[in-house]
Amino acid sequence: TPLYSSAASDVYKRQAHELIRQHELDGSLRWLPGMPKSDTGEVYRIMADRRGIFVQPALFEAFGLTILEAMVSGLPTFGPKFGGPSEIIDHGHNGFLLNTGDPSLIAASLEHFFQECEKDSELWQRISAAGIRRVHEDFSWTTYSERLLKLAKIYGFWRFAESVEGKSKMDRYSEFIYHFLLRGKRNQVDGKAD
């Protein structure tokens, strides 16, 4: 059976629920089903209020929107080290990157985090606060729009530079740079006097 089939998915869910029952984790662990996007923020906040964590076990995540949503909700977040999450998560500071190709490595990382939380009662809160700060500082709409405007200005400059008028002005500017800044250096290298 292919890994992505509905039947295989049901088998994995049953196995996961059986492990939860065997290890008496009912009430400590939640397997979140697919839900409307409008509900995720509220669910994440409830999880954060109970000092939960968020684990994104995907093998590869192109961008990491779920990572951002979990972090801004205050959940210490665990995500794949392959793809977008590696540019969002500063491992050990505002979340944790996982090798999601091996379930035993995921389990070891989670176990280590919970053991460290037992030793350091403020660890969960520090990771939570750092995750919220990271999203607000680097992934807000304000930051996004500022970056987009900068890119638009760069694009506008190059569009101008490629136009007939722009090429003419760029040629004059390049000649100016050559004559006043580079010509003397070139002549020194060639052994010529000005």
Side-chain angles (χ1 to χ4, degrees):
T1 305
L3 192 59
Y4 57 85
S5 77
S6 179
S9 177
D10 290 342
V11 169
Y12 292 133
K13 286 179 188 176
R14 280 194 301 278
Q15 288 174 344
H17 285 286
E18 179 59 26
L19 287 170
I20 292 168
R21 189 191 60 72
Q22 282 177 4
H23 295 282
E24 300 176 0
L25 294 172
D26 195 37
S28 300
L29 182 74
R30 292 288 179 258
W31 184 286
L32 295 179
M35 66 182 81
K37 197 66 162 161
S38 60
D39 294 342
T40 56
E42 185 175 346
V43 170
Y44 290 169
R45 278 307 314 151
I46 291 169
M47 292 167 51
D49 289 345
R50 296 184 176 161
R51 295 177 68 89
I53 63 170
F54 177 83
V55 181
Q56 171 54 276
L59 294 175
F60 177 84
E61 185 75 17
F63 173 65
L65 184 58
T66 58
I67 300 291
L68 292 173
E69 291 169 340
M71 288 173 75
V72 79
S73 297
L75 288 167
T77 301
F78 294 75
K81 67 179 182 178
F82 307 108
S86 66
E87 295 186 25
I88 299 169
I89 296 173
D90 180 5
H91 183 76
H93 176 69
N94 61 21
F96 301 91
L97 295 169
L98 304 169
N99 179 345
T100 52
D102 183 348
S104 66
L105 294 175
I106 296 172
S109 294
L110 299 177
E111 184 178 17
H112 177 74
F113 175 72
F114 289 121
Q115 288 171 347
E116 291 302 310
C117 283
E118 286 179 9
K119 295 177 196 172
D120 179 356
S121 63
E122 298 300 314
L123 177 62
W124 187 96
Q125 185 58 44
R126 281 196 310 274
I127 299 293
S128 172
I132 292 169
R133 213 172 21 258
R134 171 78 165 130
V135 175
H136 283 289
E137 290 174 1
D138 297 312
F139 294 95
S140 69
W141 280 110
T142 301
T143 304
Y144 174 78
S145 58
E146 286 171 357
R147 289 180 184 162
L148 185 61
L149 287 173
K150 284 180 186 173
L151 288 173
K153 288 177 185 176
I154 291 170
Y155 174 73
F157 167 77
W158 285 112
R159 267 188 59 206
F160 171 75
E162 290 295 313
S163 70
V164 173
E165 178 188 358
K167 283 183 181 180
S168 173
K169 288 183 179 179
M170 287 296 286
D171 284 346
R172 286 194 306 267
Y173 179 72
S174 296
E175 277 188 49
F176 167 79
I177 295 293
Y178 171 75
H179 285 289
F180 288 102
L181 299 176
L182 302 175
R183 184 174 166 201
K185 291 184 190 269
R186 182 185 153 239
N187 288 341
Q188 288 174 347
V189 170
D190 291 344
K192 297 178 185 175
D194 278 333

